[in-house]
Amino acid sequence: MSSAERLIESTRELLWERGYTGTSPKEIQRRAGAGQGSMYHHFAGKPDLALAAINRTAEEMRAKAEAGFTVPGTAMERITGYLRRERDVLKGCPIGRLTQDPEVMADPGLRAPVEQTLSWLRDRIAEVLEEGRERGELAPGLDPRTTAATVVAVLQGGYVLARAAESTAPFEQAITGVLDLLAAHTSRPAAG
Amino acid sequence: MSSAERLIESTRELLWERGYTGTSPKEIQRRAGAGQGSMYHHFAGKPDLALAAINRTAEEMRAKAEAGFTVPGTAMERITGYLRRERDVLKGCPIGRLTQDPEVMADPGLRAPVEQTLSWLRDRIAEVLEEGRERGELAPGLDPRTTAATVVAVLQGGYVLARAAESTAPFEQAITGVLDLLAAHTSRPAAG
DNA sequence: GTCTATAACGTGATAGAC
DNA sequence: GTCTATCACGTTATAGAC
């Protein structure tokens, strides 16, 4: 792996673990096994390197989510599969956590991928729910857009509760709770 | 207001806006209109001052929540009142945001009030839901503890979505979505 | 491309005058 | 109690050798 590559990967890890404000170029270099000169040769500075790291993480997050949504099955099964997917719960969402970083949110370039990724996720879940409604799997009274916002919020908030408790239990409970609530709005035409 | 008091209040604001890692003693002093000497006279250092600030914020958060839960009404009305309460949505939750701060979570003294406050909130909401179930307002199939975790997660996650979008809209949608889902599990003995 | 040296500035804290 | 001076260290970057 090239120096530039190792620098990006180290930055991704540190942004996840410590956020943008809490991450220094020095620590990035140390973890990447690269010197100052190498970093400033490949990247203009900390914001430039962070942008590369955030863009890659955002892309990866979309790909993982999309893989879950594209599988066959009812809307409820696809949402369940997405929510129950294996996750590093105690580390939280690498994109969602950046919303708490004032320096990220103050920089339009760094904020854009964060905004777009979470916006895309809500839209995508709303589409899945809309498809389920069209197929008669979901109650017509269920609004796809508000429900999608709720699903994404439970996920993001579940991470917060897990980190606070230093336990995955509240995350699992939050997911189970919203799936139980959703289940009451489903009918299963195939299974009767 | 005394210097010590102004220092605590400035710290509370800065922890909310910038987090612990992103807040320097110098900035706290500037905002409080106090010098270095004053701060280090009243507090042992940054962690000590932050602890005082976090404890006060945690206390305030509990008091506000409790005020919402103590009002008369059905469980659904009390939960709705709590979730619909006026909030500084784009600033997010002053306690929840600390879960993303690695330095806070690494310090047991600072972490404790964060953990206890969110744990208390889940317990308190579970109690309200349990009361509703006992009164026949809520479906017996609804588990109070998992549902409470979902409610708190929607709130915490709603803040994340709002900050990402720089808009309160996704927060409102997430709240509306979970209340709609909950509504399907309620019966209103009084209203028929 | 990668290294080391240097620098201007900020951080978190201490010391001691007043 | 509050002030200013000072300090060791870290941050973010630039310069220039190799």
Side-chain angles (χ1 to χ4, degrees):
Chain A
M1 200 172 7
S2 70
S3 269
E5 198 59 27
R6 290 200 311 277
L7 284 162
I8 293 177
E9 288 302 314
S10 298
T11 305
R12 296 218 298 150
E13 290 172 18
L14 284 164
L15 286 182
W16 198 359
E17 294 168 16
R18 305 192 42 82
Y20 182 83
T21 301
T23 296
S24 68
K26 189 176 226 168
E27 175 67 10
I28 293 170
Q29 294 151 24
R30 200 196 56 73
R31 196 177 289 209
Q36 293 258 63
S38 182
M39 173 181 146
Y40 284 101
H41 170 76
H42 293 289
F43 301 96
K46 183 181 168 182
D48 185 42
L49 176 49
L51 181 59
I54 293 172
N55 277 335
R56 183 173 296 184
T57 297
E59 229 173 289
E60 189 184 276
M61 182 170 151
R62 288 195 196 201
K64 277 190 187 171
E66 188 54 47
F69 297 137
T70 308
V71 300
T74 64
M76 188 63 188
E77 284 165 352
R78 292 157 78 197
I79 299 291
T80 301
Y82 171 69
L83 289 177
R84 294 276 193 213
R85 188 184 81 201
E86 197 180 320
R87 291 164 192 278
D88 211 333
V89 173
L90 291 179
K91 289 189 73 177
C93 174
I95 294 298
R97 81 149 291 155
L98 298 175
T99 62
Q100 301 299 325
D101 206 306
E103 292 183 55
V104 170
M105 301 314 273
D107 183 329
L110 297 180
R111 210 180 73 77
V114 175
E115 172 171 10
Q116 286 161 18
T117 301
L118 288 173
S119 171
W120 171 85
L121 187 57
R122 285 193 290 133
D123 289 349
R124 196 67 190 80
I125 291 177
E127 278 177 26
V128 171
L129 292 171
E130 175 62 32
E131 284 171 29
R133 195 161 72 163
E134 285 167 1
R135 291 185 197 144
E137 300 161 13
L138 291 175
L142 211 66
D143 180 59
R145 292 201 59 77
T146 59
T147 308
T150 300
V151 167
V152 179
V154 168
L155 200 52
Q156 294 294 325
Y159 289 130
V160 171
L161 300 186
R163 285 184 63 87
E166 268 187 330
S167 156
T168 60
F171 178 91
E172 311 291 354
Q173 287 180 353
I175 299 293
T176 298
V178 75
L179 288 175
D180 285 353
L181 288 171
L182 270 172
H185 291 263
T186 61
S187 57
R188 300 173 140 275
Chain B
M1 199 172 10
S2 70
S3 269
E5 197 60 27
R6 290 200 312 277
L7 284 162
I8 292 177
E9 287 303 313
S10 298
T11 304
R12 296 217 299 149
E13 290 172 18
L14 283 164
L15 287 182
W16 198 359
E17 293 167 17
R18 305 193 40 83
Y20 182 83
T21 301
T23 295
S24 68
K26 189 176 228 171
E27 176 66 11
I28 292 171
Q29 293 152 25
R30 201 196 55 74
R31 196 177 285 210
Q36 293 259 60
S38 182
M39 173 181 145
Y40 285 100
H41 171 76
H42 292 290
F43 302 95
K46 183 181 170 182
D48 184 42
L49 176 48
L51 180 60
I54 293 173
N55 277 336
R56 184 174 296 185
T57 296
E59 229 173 289
E60 190 184 274
M61 182 171 151
R62 287 194 196 202
K64 278 191 187 172
E66 188 55 47
F69 297 138
T70 309
V71 300
T74 64
M76 188 63 187
E77 284 165 352
R78 292 157 77 196
I79 299 291
T80 300
Y82 171 67
L83 289 177
R84 295 278 195 211
R85 188 184 81 199
E86 198 180 319
R87 292 164 192 278
D88 210 333
V89 172
L90 291 178
K91 290 189 72 176
C93 173
I95 294 298
R97 83 148 291 155
L98 297 176
T99 61
Q100 301 299 324
D101 206 307
E103 293 184 54
V104 170
M105 301 315 274
D107 183 328
L110 298 181
R111 211 180 72 79
V114 175
E115 171 170 11
Q116 285 162 16
T117 301
L118 288 173
S119 171
W120 170 84
L121 187 57
R122 286 193 290 132
D123 289 349
R124 196 66 190 80
I125 291 177
E127 278 176 26
V128 171
L129 292 171
E130 176 62 32
E131 284 169 29
R133 195 162 71 163
E134 285 167 1
R135 292 184 197 144
E137 300 162 13
L138 291 175
L142 212 66
D143 180 61
R145 294 201 59 75
T146 60
T147 307
T150 300
V151 167
V152 179
V154 167
L155 199 53
Q156 294 294 327
Y159 288 130
V160 171
L161 299 185
R163 285 183 66 87
E166 268 186 331
S167 157
T168 59
F171 178 91
E172 310 292 353
Q173 287 180 355
I175 299 293
T176 298
V178 75
L179 287 176
D180 284 354
L181 288 171
L182 270 173
H185 292 264
T186 61
S187 56
R188 298 172 139 277

